[in-house]
Amino acid sequence: MQSKSLFAFFSALALSSASPLRRRCSNDTAPTPTNSTTTPPAATVPVLPTTGSGTQLAGPDSATLKHILVGHGIQNYTCTAAGVTATSIGALAVLWEITDLYPGMSSSSLSEADFDTFTSKVLRTTAMPLNMATDSSTGADVAAPFPAPVDLTVDGLSAPVKFLGHHFFDSANTPTFDLSGAGDGELFKGKKDANIAAPADADKGENPVTGAVDWLRLSDKGTSTGVSLVYRVWTAGGNPETCTEAGESQSIPYTAQYWIFSA
């Protein structure tokens, strides 16, 4: 009996050794490698706002967007008689860079709703950034209207927004944007191409509540550097009060987004 068992053992061992080896996986086909390279998401391209209805400002055509800015300051007016609408004589504003806050542009981007109402938030929650007159006159200090440049801190933002420059009207009453904070000599002197009323639900301002100034399209007057077009949109406040007497001066707080383009 023992010899028969040994014979059976060695017979089985011989058959096992003669059988071909098999893979543990039943699929003998090598797996096809997958492509680990993913397509990056399309870059966000900011779209110039519209008021939502009626006539709109002409677009920038092939001009390139350089900056989206928020401006905070005053609209200045003078009166020719009591009971009439005051006449605009210029504006003063400090400008800060908010391009990265545009929805989808960066990790610090705002929602669409928060970005569209950002000017209102700046108007209502941050201090007037100008040196205001200390005598009986209204408006900013004529000799030195702008304080030293400083970045703007706004509640809810993870970091201050960068100072980029000043908006004012020069001695020829030309709207001027001196973007000294850009560091490349950008200077815009423009002329008004068109204006449209702000949306009906735009922030009408506070102290006084007078309504939001118009949206504007400004083009180069011919002496600009590095800037060819400026749009004023998402305005808050800034419209004049009714005049009470001839010679009256008014300085009305306002904020706006300024979209800056180059040819």
Side-chain angles (χ1 to χ4, degrees):
M1 293 294 292
Q2 184 175 5
S3 61
K4 289 183 179 180
S5 298
L6 290 172
F7 176 81
F9 171 78
F10 285 114
S11 297
L13 181 62
L15 288 172
S16 175
S17 301
S19 299
L21 295 174
R22 296 184 181 273
R23 297 180 183 272
R24 290 183 182 271
C25 178
S26 61
N27 183 3
D28 293 340
T29 304
T32 302
T34 58
N35 184 1
S36 61
T37 303
T38 57
T39 302
T44 299
V45 178
V47 177
L48 187 69
T50 68
T51 60
S53 63
T55 301
Q56 300 298 317
L57 299 172
D61 297 325
S62 60
T64 300
L65 179 67
K66 298 189 76 172
H67 309 284
I68 304 175
L69 310 178
V70 62
H72 186 188
I74 53 177
Q75 294 284 326
N76 293 319
Y77 300 92
T78 189
C79 293
T80 57
V84 303
T85 300
T87 301
S88 175
I89 55 172
L92 293 168
V94 181
L95 308 170
W96 296 274
E97 178 78 72
I98 61 167
T99 307
D100 282 349
L101 300 184
Y102 185 88
M105 288 293 286
S106 73
S107 59
S108 59
S109 293
L110 300 176
S111 67
E112 182 176 348
D114 287 345
F115 186 78
D116 294 350
T117 58
F118 188 67
T119 50
S120 180
K121 184 170 187 176
V122 171
L123 178 67
R124 294 175 176 275
T125 66
T126 68
M128 176 60 66
L130 302 175
N131 293 326
M132 304 304 289
T134 56
D135 56 19
S136 58
S137 62
T138 61
D141 187 313
V142 175
F146 298 116
V150 64
D151 295 343
L152 178 66
T153 298
V154 181
D155 289 344
L157 297 186
S158 59
V161 290
K162 178 187 175 184
F163 166 84
L164 208 77
H166 298 122
H167 170 43
F168 56 92
F169 281 56
D170 66 13
S171 58
N173 207 35
T174 298
T176 302
F177 292 78
D178 180 4
L179 305 184
S180 58
D184 59 0
E186 292 176 37
L187 178 70
F188 178 77
K189 289 184 176 292
K191 60 182 186 296
K192 184 173 73 174
D193 291 337
N195 62 288
I196 57 174
D201 60 352
D203 189 329
K204 294 176 172 56
E206 60 176 358
N207 300 324
V209 179
T210 53
V213 288
D214 285 355
W215 292 22
L216 301 177
R217 184 185 195 269
L218 306 173
S219 61
D220 178 21
K221 198 174 182 178
T223 57
S224 301
T225 301
V227 179
S228 60
L229 281 171
V230 172
Y231 289 84
R232 185 177 77 185
V233 298
W234 293 131
T235 53
N239 270 342
E241 298 179 279
T242 301
C243 294
T244 58
E245 61 181 356
E248 176 188 356
S249 295
Q250 298 180 14
S251 292
I252 311 297
Y254 88 107
T255 53
Q257 283 188 19
Y258 289 100
W259 288 49
I260 311 296
F261 290 82
S262 65

